[in-house]
Amino acid sequence: MSTRTVLHDADISRALTRISHEILESNKGAQDLVILGIPTRGVTLARRLATQGAQVSGSPVPVGALGVTMYRDD
């Protein structure tokens, strides 16, 4: 069985850049913006988006984690 790559590194980088631009555009910049991720994979994505957003906007984008364990019903 062969493995197939859905997105290459350059594709992921391009997608993160586009998502960052969309977030900044819809929020009219990085002011009053915080990006939160749900542990565990969401926090990694939030950090990458915040880093990219900071590069695009020229100002820091705070990032954090939002624990939802208490609110799960499964």
Side-chain angles (χ1 to χ4, degrees):
M1 184 157 99
S2 66
T3 60
R4 292 163 59 166
T5 302
V6 176
L7 292 174
H8 295 283
D9 291 345
D11 299 325
I12 293 170
S13 179
R14 189 170 37 258
L16 289 173
T17 299
R18 181 167 180 135
I19 293 168
S20 297
H21 278 275
E22 293 289 334
I23 291 170
L24 291 169
E25 182 180 315
S26 67
N27 287 286
K28 297 178 176 64
Q31 187 176 5
D32 299 326
L33 175 65
V34 175
I35 298 179
L36 298 176
I38 297 172
T40 58
R41 300 284 186 200
V43 175
T44 302
L45 178 59
R47 287 184 183 139
R48 291 183 73 176
L49 288 171
T51 299
Q52 189 67 30
Q55 290 175 353
V56 170
S57 70
S59 58
V61 176
V63 64
L66 179 65
V68 295
T69 305
M70 288 181 28
Y71 308 103
R72 292 185 63 170
D73 64 354
D74 59 340

